[in-house]
Amino acid sequence: MDEIDKGSRTLGLPIAFHGTVIHSRRLNELEILENCFLLVDKAGKIQTLQAGVDPNEINSIISDLGYTPDVFPIKYLQRGQFLCPGFVDTHNHAPQWTQRGIGRGKTLMEWLNNVTFAHEAKFADAEYAKRTYSSCVSGFLRHGITTASYYGSLHGEATQILADICLEKGQRALVGKCNMNRNSPEWYRDASVEDSLHQTQELIQHIQTIDPDNKLVRPIITPRFAISCEPDLLSGLGSLAKEHPDTPIQTHFNEAKGEMMLTKELFPQFRNEVELYKSYELLTDRTILAHCIYLEEEEIEALRELRCGVAHCPISNTTMDFFMAAPIREYLRRGIKVGLGTDSGGGHSASMLDSMRQAFVVSIARQDATDGQDPALSMAEGFYLATLGGAQVCGLDEKIGNFAVGKEFDALEVHCDDNLGIMTPVEDDDSISTIFEKWIMTGDDRNIAKVYVCGRSVKV
Ligand code: GUN
Ligand code: FE
């Protein structure tokens, strides 16, 4: 623990930094602030963000803010080091932490039936859940994921354990019990509609008990996808969402051709998936729709009108049996909220840096397929999707996503100056934006020296 941790955690003091700060103001506006003084109050909120500050001026700034100088430590970041917002992973399956990388090249339905369901079934064992979720949450924190929207397994108890672990380790999280009562083996499906709804309600109550103000953890209603849910279950979840108007909803949406065909067979009364989920009142401004690959024009328009968010998961979209390139540029053009997801373990990587890189690759494929109509994502846009865009999708952009004064300090302290022989080395004449680009494209978690959530240092 360094001085900053001692100050923030044991003494209830502010923490402060001086150096380079990088964050997104808007989709295309990456702000790089040099010689910046950033102060986080003892509640974990950003109290001041001021660029171009000479270190000699710091004591007077501190006095003006009403603090006594020299009472709390200030961390001076060196060249090659910077602060940036923590990553927001908008789509993540916690029980798949231990199956990442398995089953490449299968269709979605083959992968679910032959790899995933058997694996998730292990979470009936609470001890296994504790062990695995503990490793999962620590692992994602190490990768700088300060907020994750998690699908649990179908088990109520294991999913409560996941919420407990997020809170204990200090990760901001949306945690959902996966609702699924059909089209999976008998040994891995909810016993009944009532049981599935009851366990979901219990999870909502449990999170209300452990984190009454949803400071870090909140429940999320999680129908796996329509194929897994009988109509009564979808209706019940729609009613639950109405009873809990602040509770977000997540599902898989227009992910793969096989999935879409099977959905049409099961629900012939609906023209498309928007019509389906809308009819069960599951499309709201708090809904996170993973993938969104093959939407019809009226579906895209509906997402905009209903203010649903898109969790773009470019790694899993290009790891199964097709290269599936979601029309992200079109969503952004229409002002639809978009964030990035690891989709761990359909996606093989736990790293949002990898997600960003694959988002660049997929966006070039779209640029090609549209003869340049949908230009590829820029560096600034990719970073926005991984931070502020994700915060919008999760309904948390008032609280996190960048370093606007008043927001909570969810941040990464990135060190590109230690030459570990992995990241492209920093050279004397590199600009800060070059150093940043080198990290985004070639760095990894070894460059993430510290991770903060609401001012608390959480990387172990
Ligand atoms: N569709 C239904 N379940 C899943 C899942 O676990 N992962 C992905 N990528 N798609 C799904
Ligand atoms: Fe998924």
Side-chain angles (χ1 to χ4, degrees):
M1 219 185 264
D2 65 17
E3 285 300 307
I4 284 269
D5 295 338
K6 279 189 211 152
S8 66
R9 296 184 68 177
T10 56
L11 301 175
L13 289 170
I15 57 176
F17 301 84
H18 181 269
T20 301
V21 172
I22 303 178
H23 67 161
S24 290
R25 285 283 179 192
R26 268 178 286 281
L27 175 61
N28 236 319
E29 196 181 324
L30 184 73
E31 187 170 62
I32 299 182
L33 303 169
E34 293 188 60
N35 293 311
C36 185
F37 180 65
L38 186 152
L39 187 137
V40 180
D41 69 15
K42 63 185 182 186
K45 288 192 174 159
I46 298 159
Q47 190 174 354
T48 190
L49 177 76
Q50 213 174 310
V53 171
D54 186 290
N56 295 322
E57 297 164 8
I58 290 178
N59 276 353
S60 80
I61 297 175
I62 287 175
S63 303
D64 290 348
L65 291 168
Y67 298 108
T68 313
D70 299 326
V71 168
F72 53 86
I74 296 161
K75 186 142 185 187
Y76 291 91
L77 300 171
Q78 307 301 310
R79 182 178 148 76
Q81 304 181 347
F82 57 85
L83 291 177
C84 71
F87 294 130
V88 179
D89 183 353
T90 59
H91 185 78
N92 184 315
H93 297 264
Q96 296 173 16
W97 170 247
T98 25
Q99 70 168 76
R100 279 170 300 140
I102 310 294
R104 195 193 63 79
K106 294 190 188 313
T107 67
L108 171 60
M109 301 312 289
E110 283 167 354
W111 174 81
L112 287 171
N113 286 313
N114 300 323
V115 180
T116 305
F117 292 145
H119 186 75
E120 290 190 9
K122 293 186 192 179
F123 288 78
D125 175 349
E127 282 310 310
Y128 178 79
K130 262 184 208 152
R131 221 173 39 243
T132 310
Y133 285 155
S134 184
S135 145
C136 160
V137 172
S138 295
F140 285 115
L141 281 172
R142 210 170 299 132
H143 280 285
I145 294 174
T146 48
T147 299
S149 187
Y150 285 123
Y151 287 58
S153 63
L154 62 71
H155 311 98
E157 186 187 5
T159 310
Q160 291 186 18
I161 290 171
L162 174 60
D164 294 342
I165 290 173
C166 292
L167 190 62
E168 184 192 315
K169 291 188 183 283
Q171 188 180 44
R172 208 180 284 283
L174 312 183
V175 178
K177 171 233 160 338
C178 219
N179 301 100
M180 44 186 291
N181 75 333
R182 65 167 173 181
N183 287 318
S184 54
E186 235 170 80
W187 40 262
Y188 192 60
R189 68 169 84 142
D190 285 322
S192 63
V193 169
E194 294 69 34
D195 185 58
S196 187
L197 294 173
H198 179 66
Q199 294 200 44
T200 308
Q201 271 160 330
E202 282 192 338
L203 176 71
I204 294 172
Q205 275 155 15
H206 178 73
I207 294 177
Q208 170 71 26
T209 310
I210 61 170
D211 191 4
D213 299 323
N214 299 126
K215 282 205 161 76
L216 285 185
V217 182
R218 56 183 72 205
I220 179 162
I221 293 170
T222 305
R224 184 168 207 128
F225 57 173
I227 292 172
S228 294
C229 301
E230 282 175 348
D232 285 354
L233 180 52
L234 293 173
S235 304
L237 292 170
S239 304
L240 202 57
K242 268 195 150 166
E243 274 169 48
H244 298 274
D246 294 335
T247 303
I249 301 163
Q250 61 185 349
T251 196
H252 293 91
F253 194 84
N254 281 306
E255 176 178 4
K257 292 218 161 108
E259 167 264 319
M260 289 169 65
M261 272 162 54
L262 185 50
T263 306
K264 279 225 161 99
E265 276 172 39
L266 292 167
F267 294 90
Q269 68 273 40
F270 299 117
R271 269 178 307 154
N272 53 43
E273 294 195 13
V274 156
E275 207 179 85
L276 188 166
Y277 289 98
K278 195 174 163 193
S279 84
Y280 295 106
E281 302 190 83
L282 291 164
L283 297 186
T284 72
D285 60 355
R286 334 178 288 284
T287 302
I288 306 176
L289 298 171
H291 309 299
C292 299
I293 309 281
Y294 303 112
L295 271 64
E296 294 165 12
E297 165 58 29
E298 72 172 67
E299 291 187 284
I300 301 180
E301 215 22 49
L303 294 201
R304 189 189 62 74
E305 273 170 28
L306 297 166
R307 295 207 35 78
C308 301
V310 173
H312 177 38
C313 305
I315 299 185
S316 58
N317 296 159
T318 53
T319 303
M320 294 187 184
D321 63 331
F322 284 111
F323 191 101
M324 297 180 289
I328 294 306
R329 175 62 64 195
E330 183 58 26
Y331 299 151
L332 293 173
R333 202 180 272 135
R334 302 219 194 173
I336 294 172
K337 296 177 281 182
V338 185
L340 277 184
T342 58
D343 196 9
S344 160
H348 48 76
S349 173
S351 161
M352 289 288 285
L353 291 168
D354 282 343
S355 270
M356 251 185 276
R357 292 166 197 157
Q358 197 65 5
F360 295 137
V361 170
V362 163
S363 74
I364 291 169
R366 278 293 303 179
Q367 176 174 275
D368 208 29
T370 60
D371 287 330
Q373 293 295 306
D374 284 1
L377 293 171
S378 67
M379 188 63 50
E381 288 171 328
F383 187 71
Y384 169 91
L385 296 183
T387 55
L388 188 55
Q392 285 171 352
V393 168
C394 292
L396 292 169
D397 51 311
E398 300 273 298
K399 263 190 165 186
I400 56 156
N402 66 7
F403 295 133
V405 169
K407 286 197 185 181
E408 296 180 12
F409 184 66
D410 286 15
L412 314 182
E413 191 183 306
V414 181
H415 290 192
C416 302
D417 50 344
D418 309 329
N419 191 350
L420 300 166
I422 308 295
M423 188 187 136
T424 312
V426 172
E427 303 224 85
D428 289 345
D429 56 354
D430 282 344
S431 66
I432 297 196
S433 77
T434 297
I435 297 172
F436 178 71
E437 188 174 355
K438 283 182 171 178
W439 179 59
I440 297 288
M441 294 310 291
T442 72
D444 62 24
D445 58 295
R446 283 165 288 197
N447 304 109
I448 303 176
K450 306 209 59 129
V451 178
Y452 293 92
V453 175
C454 198
R456 171 181 168 194
S457 170
V458 291
K459 180 175 172 177
V460 285

